[in-house]
Amino acid sequence: NFDNLPNALLHLWKITLRMLPHEAFDHMESESVALFVSVSFFQILTGIFFLSLFVAQLGSAYQATFIDMVGYARLNRGHIVVATMPNVPQARWNSYIASLNLDCRIEFGEGDVGLSGGIQILEPGSLNPTTEEKVRRFAGTTSREAPWPNEEIQSEEDLHTRFNHLEKMIASSMKKMSKMVKGGGAAGSRMGSSLAGSQSSSMSGSSMG
């Protein structure tokens, strides 16, 4: 049955779908032990694969169901809150609003005061690390009557071009500095040689006198 590749694939497919009779396994065991061991190993692998696939499908279905459950729970909680609010006394409601401190500005970071109208929740800095600034800042007046500034979104190509220009500027500056250092060394050597020559001429003149 496993003489060529098509027959082997067909029988392996039948084994996977449990369509091969038990007599075929008995015949396979009596014919070749190595073939029987290989087919048994293939059955184990296919069983593990289909079991893992089933677990993955269950996990995905549970995740989608959990998202729906959370959404329905929030809607139900909102309905309860809306139904309860008319029964709350006005004084108690005003006290609750005052305890939230919604007029106080919230800090984006330590010393970085932001906007008001929210509730600040502190967390460790290592809990949600960010490598990119999420708060977009604009220079100018903070008046509400002023128009909102146009946001310039820089593409990766523009940033790459700016980085290349910066690298070229740094390279040219390093070349100029190296030339200045070399020029200063050569001028110093020339000055040293001229001083040595003048000292030798003065010494020879004094000896002749």
Side-chain angles (χ1 to χ4, degrees), residues 198-209:
S198 62
Q199 287 179 359
S200 59
S201 61
S202 63
M203 289 177 65
S204 62
S206 62
S207 60
M208 287 177 65

Side-chain angles (χ1 to χ4, degrees), residues 161-179:
T161 304
R162 290 192 176 186
F163 278 122
N164 288 337
H165 182 64
L166 182 61
E167 289 178 358
K168 290 180 181 179
M169 290 178 60
I170 293 174
S172 61
S173 301
M174 294 296 292
K175 287 181 181 179
K176 290 180 181 179
M177 291 176 62
S178 62
K179 287 181 180 179

Side-chain angles (χ1 to χ4, degrees), residues 108-110 120-130:
F108 294 124
E110 187 175 358
Q120 185 174 9
I121 299 176
L122 301 178
E123 63 179 14
S126 59
L127 186 60
N128 295 305
T130 55

Side-chain angles (χ1 to χ4, degrees), residues 23 31 35 66 74 78 88 100 105 135 140 179 202 207 209:
E23 291 78 7
E31 184 179 353
L35 180 61
F66 176 75
R74 289 176 178 174
V88 178
L100 295 179
R105 293 189 175 185
V135 180
K179 287 181 180 179
S202 63
S207 60

